[in-house]
């Protein structure tokens, strides 16, 4: 069961995205060890969120806490 602040979603992926996700998972398996597709998607979201914040010059509460 998911933690209180976690959300579960279901969505459809294009064939290309699904294939690339499989390839990413295979690369992780070869170099890092076994990971889930959910882990890969979460990491991608975290990285993209950081990119967007930097691109638009956005700071959030987490940035302030990390700089203390």
């Amino acid at each position: 069961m998911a933690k209180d602040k976690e959300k579960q979603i279901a969505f459809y992926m294009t064939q290309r995205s699904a294939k690339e996700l499989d390839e990413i998972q295979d690369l992780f398996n070869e170099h890092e060890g076994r990971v889930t597709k959910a882990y890969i998607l979460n990491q991608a979201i975290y990285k993209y969120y950081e990119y967007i914040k930097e691109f638009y010059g956005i700071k959030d509460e987490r940035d302030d806490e990390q700089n203390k």
Side-chain angles (χ1 to χ4, degrees), residues 12 22 25 41:
Y12 292 98
D22 288 339
Q25 188 176 33
L41 293 171

Side-chain angles (χ1 to χ4, degrees), residues 20-43:
E20 290 175 351
L21 182 57
D22 288 339
E23 291 173 4
I24 292 168
Q25 188 176 33
D26 290 343
L27 288 169
F28 266 104
N29 290 343
E30 290 174 21
H31 299 282
E32 304 290 332
R34 194 171 189 313
V35 296
T36 64
K37 290 177 181 167
Y39 173 83
I40 296 166
L41 293 171
N42 279 316
Q43 292 303 310

